[in-house]
Short mmCIF file of all heavy atoms in Angstrom, two decimals:
data_model
loop_
_atom_site.label_atom_id
_atom_site.label_comp_id
_atom_site.label_asym_id
_atom_site.label_seq_id
_atom_site.Cartn_x
_atom_site.Cartn_y
_atom_site.Cartn_z
N ASP A 232 105.12 92.99 117.62
CA ASP A 232 104.77 94.27 117.96
C ASP A 232 103.94 95.08 116.99
O ASP A 232 103.70 96.21 117.17
CB ASP A 232 106.09 95.06 118.37
CG ASP A 232 106.68 94.66 119.64
OD1 ASP A 232 106.10 94.12 120.46
OD2 ASP A 232 107.94 94.89 119.84
N ASP A 233 103.50 94.36 115.87
CA ASP A 233 102.88 95.08 114.85
C ASP A 233 101.55 95.60 115.20
O ASP A 233 101.10 96.50 114.58
CB ASP A 233 102.81 94.12 113.57
CG ASP A 233 101.69 93.12 113.74
OD1 ASP A 233 101.84 92.23 114.67
OD2 ASP A 233 100.69 93.18 113.07
N GLY A 234 101.00 95.01 116.27
CA GLY A 234 99.70 95.62 116.79
C GLY A 234 99.83 96.98 117.30
O GLY A 234 99.04 97.87 117.05
N GLU A 235 101.00 97.19 118.08
CA GLU A 235 101.21 98.61 118.58
C GLU A 235 101.57 99.54 117.42
O GLU A 235 101.14 100.57 117.41
CB GLU A 235 102.44 98.56 119.46
CG GLU A 235 102.95 99.84 120.00
CD GLU A 235 101.92 100.56 120.86
OE1 GLU A 235 101.76 100.02 122.13
OE2 GLU A 235 101.39 101.47 120.48
N ALA A 236 102.33 99.01 116.42
CA ALA A 236 102.63 99.91 115.23
C ALA A 236 101.34 100.25 114.51
O ALA A 236 101.23 101.35 114.03
CB ALA A 236 103.60 99.14 114.27
N ALA A 237 100.31 99.30 114.29
CA ALA A 237 99.13 99.62 113.50
C ALA A 237 98.42 100.73 114.35
O ALA A 237 97.77 101.64 113.65
CB ALA A 237 98.29 98.41 113.35
N ILE A 238 98.22 100.65 115.69
CA ILE A 238 97.38 101.59 116.51
C ILE A 238 98.22 102.83 116.32
O ILE A 238 97.46 103.92 116.04
CB ILE A 238 97.56 101.17 117.98
CG1 ILE A 238 96.71 99.94 118.20
CG2 ILE A 238 97.08 102.42 118.86
CD1 ILE A 238 96.91 99.35 119.52
N ASP A 239 99.49 102.91 116.35
CA ASP A 239 100.25 104.20 116.31
C ASP A 239 100.01 104.92 114.91
O ASP A 239 99.71 106.29 114.90
CB ASP A 239 101.69 103.94 116.55
CG ASP A 239 102.00 103.50 117.94
OD1 ASP A 239 101.23 103.53 118.69
OD2 ASP A 239 103.15 102.95 118.01
N VAL A 240 100.19 104.26 113.81
CA VAL A 240 100.07 104.96 112.54
C VAL A 240 98.60 105.24 112.17
O VAL A 240 98.49 106.24 111.57
CB VAL A 240 100.71 104.14 111.48
CG1 VAL A 240 102.24 103.91 111.79
CG2 VAL A 240 100.06 102.85 111.20
N GLU A 241 97.75 104.48 112.68
CA GLU A 241 96.36 104.69 112.22
C GLU A 241 95.69 105.79 113.03
O GLU A 241 95.09 106.71 112.53
CB GLU A 241 95.57 103.41 112.38
CG GLU A 241 95.89 102.30 111.32
CD GLU A 241 95.29 101.06 111.54
OE1 GLU A 241 94.47 100.77 112.72
OE2 GLU A 241 95.51 100.04 110.78
N VAL A 242 95.92 105.73 114.37
CA VAL A 242 95.32 106.85 115.14
C VAL A 242 95.93 108.16 114.90
O VAL A 242 95.44 109.28 114.91
CB VAL A 242 95.38 106.46 116.71
CG1 VAL A 242 94.86 107.60 117.42
CG2 VAL A 242 94.52 105.22 116.96
N ALA A 243 97.29 108.30 114.67
CA ALA A 243 98.00 109.44 114.36
C ALA A 243 97.34 110.07 113.15
O ALA A 243 97.03 111.31 112.98
CB ALA A 243 99.43 109.22 114.10
N SER A 244 96.94 109.20 112.08
CA SER A 244 96.40 109.75 110.92
C SER A 244 94.92 110.08 111.13
O SER A 244 94.38 110.94 110.40
CB SER A 244 96.46 108.64 109.73
OG SER A 244 96.03 109.15 108.57
N SER A 245 94.25 109.50 112.11
CA SER A 245 92.81 109.73 112.38
C SER A 245 92.76 111.22 112.93
O SER A 245 91.57 111.82 112.71
CB SER A 245 92.27 108.79 113.33
OG SER A 245 92.61 109.01 114.63
N VAL A 246 93.65 111.81 113.60
CA VAL A 246 93.60 113.05 114.17
C VAL A 246 94.17 114.07 113.28
O VAL A 246 93.73 115.16 113.13
CB VAL A 246 94.29 113.11 115.54
CG1 VAL A 246 94.29 114.59 116.15
CG2 VAL A 246 93.59 112.13 116.50
N ALA A 247 95.30 113.63 112.50
CA ALA A 247 95.92 114.68 111.64
C ALA A 247 95.92 114.01 110.23
O ALA A 247 96.98 113.46 109.82
CB ALA A 247 97.33 114.87 112.10
N PRO A 248 94.84 113.88 109.52
CA PRO A 248 94.67 113.06 108.41
C PRO A 248 95.44 113.52 107.21
O PRO A 248 95.55 112.78 106.35
CB PRO A 248 93.14 113.07 108.14
CG PRO A 248 92.64 114.34 108.82
CD PRO A 248 93.51 114.50 110.10
N SER A 249 95.81 114.81 107.27
CA SER A 249 96.55 115.27 106.00
C SER A 249 98.06 115.31 106.27
O SER A 249 98.80 115.74 105.49
CB SER A 249 96.21 116.75 105.63
OG SER A 249 94.75 116.83 105.27
N ALA A 250 98.43 114.80 107.40
CA ALA A 250 99.91 114.75 107.76
C ALA A 250 100.69 113.52 107.03
O ALA A 250 100.07 112.72 106.56
CB ALA A 250 100.09 114.65 109.24
N ALA A 251 101.95 113.78 106.87
CA ALA A 251 102.76 112.60 106.40
C ALA A 251 103.03 111.77 107.51
O ALA A 251 103.81 112.25 108.46
CB ALA A 251 104.16 113.27 105.69
N ILE A 252 102.68 110.51 107.50
CA ILE A 252 102.79 109.62 108.68
C ILE A 252 104.11 108.70 108.15
O ILE A 252 104.04 108.13 107.21
CB ILE A 252 101.59 108.63 108.91
CG1 ILE A 252 100.40 109.49 109.20
CG2 ILE A 252 101.87 107.71 110.01
CD1 ILE A 252 100.41 110.43 110.42
N GLU A 253 105.10 108.63 109.06
CA GLU A 253 106.27 107.96 108.83
C GLU A 253 106.52 106.79 109.89
O GLU A 253 106.61 107.15 111.11
CB GLU A 253 107.52 108.80 108.71
CG GLU A 253 107.60 109.73 107.53
CD GLU A 253 108.88 110.47 107.52
OE1 GLU A 253 109.57 110.44 108.32
OE2 GLU A 253 109.00 111.11 106.38
N LEU A 254 106.45 105.58 109.65
CA LEU A 254 106.92 104.57 110.59
C LEU A 254 108.32 104.33 110.35
O LEU A 254 108.82 104.06 109.35
CB LEU A 254 106.16 103.21 110.26
CG LEU A 254 106.32 102.10 111.16
CD1 LEU A 254 105.23 101.13 111.39
CD2 LEU A 254 107.56 101.25 110.87
N ILE A 255 109.13 104.61 111.46
CA ILE A 255 110.44 104.41 111.50
C ILE A 255 110.90 103.11 112.24
O ILE A 255 110.50 103.04 113.41
CB ILE A 255 111.32 105.66 111.78
CG1 ILE A 255 111.12 106.02 113.41
CG2 ILE A 255 110.99 106.88 111.05
CD1 ILE A 255 111.98 106.98 113.94
N SER A 256 111.54 102.32 111.69
CA SER A 256 111.88 100.94 112.44
C SER A 256 113.19 100.51 111.89
O SER A 256 113.69 100.70 110.78
CB SER A 256 110.83 99.94 112.17
OG SER A 256 110.78 99.61 110.81
N CYS A 257 113.92 99.78 112.91
CA CYS A 257 115.16 99.12 112.57
C CYS A 257 115.18 97.71 113.24
O CYS A 257 114.51 97.60 114.29
CB CYS A 257 116.32 99.89 113.13
SG CYS A 257 116.75 101.41 112.14
N ALA A 258 115.93 96.83 112.75
CA ALA A 258 116.08 95.49 113.46
C ALA A 258 116.98 95.89 114.76
O ALA A 258 117.86 96.65 114.78
CB ALA A 258 116.84 94.56 112.54
N GLY A 259 116.66 95.14 115.78
CA GLY A 259 117.34 95.38 117.04
C GLY A 259 118.73 94.64 117.07
O GLY A 259 119.07 93.72 116.22
N GLY A 260 119.55 94.96 118.14
CA GLY A 260 120.77 94.27 118.31
C GLY A 260 120.71 93.36 119.58
O GLY A 260 119.51 93.24 120.07
N THR A 261 121.70 92.61 119.91
CA THR A 261 121.49 91.71 121.10
C THR A 261 121.04 92.38 122.27
O THR A 261 120.32 91.80 122.99
CB THR A 261 122.91 91.05 121.30
OG1 THR A 261 123.44 90.63 120.00
CG2 THR A 261 122.77 89.98 122.35
N VAL A 262 121.59 93.61 122.54
CA VAL A 262 121.28 94.26 123.78
C VAL A 262 120.61 95.72 123.57
O VAL A 262 120.48 96.41 124.35
CB VAL A 262 122.55 94.47 124.76
CG1 VAL A 262 122.95 93.15 125.16
CG2 VAL A 262 123.66 95.22 123.91
N THR A 263 120.15 95.86 122.23
CA THR A 263 119.54 97.17 121.95
C THR A 263 118.31 97.02 121.14
O THR A 263 118.14 96.24 120.14
CB THR A 263 120.62 98.00 121.03
OG1 THR A 263 121.80 98.14 121.78
CG2 THR A 263 120.05 99.38 120.90
N PHE A 264 117.27 97.73 121.57
CA PHE A 264 115.95 97.78 120.96
C PHE A 264 115.95 98.35 119.61
O PHE A 264 116.61 99.38 119.55
CB PHE A 264 114.92 98.56 121.88
CG PHE A 264 113.56 98.48 121.42
CD1 PHE A 264 112.82 97.48 121.21
CD2 PHE A 264 112.96 99.68 121.20
CE1 PHE A 264 111.49 97.42 120.86
CE2 PHE A 264 111.60 99.80 120.76
CZ PHE A 264 110.97 98.70 120.56
N GLY A 265 115.30 97.82 118.63
CA GLY A 265 115.39 98.27 117.31
C GLY A 265 114.81 99.74 117.25
O GLY A 265 115.30 100.50 116.34
N GLY A 266 113.83 100.08 118.07
CA GLY A 266 113.25 101.32 117.95
C GLY A 266 114.19 102.50 118.33
O GLY A 266 114.16 103.55 117.99
#
């Protein structure tokens, strides 16, 4: 899924270039998505 993550953080920064961009991620569980 790193392609989606790259799109998200880069395009967010392209519109709000002075903002603090935070990628928040966790490892998932058996039945729970990490996001």
Side-chain angles (χ1 to χ4, degrees):
D232 289 341
D233 75 294
E235 178 66 69
I238 291 170
D239 295 343
V240 300
E241 290 171 359
V242 174
S244 188
S245 75
V246 176
S249 297
I252 305 297
E253 293 181 351
L254 180 150
I255 62 168
S256 63
C257 291
T261 309
V262 293
T263 304
F264 179 64

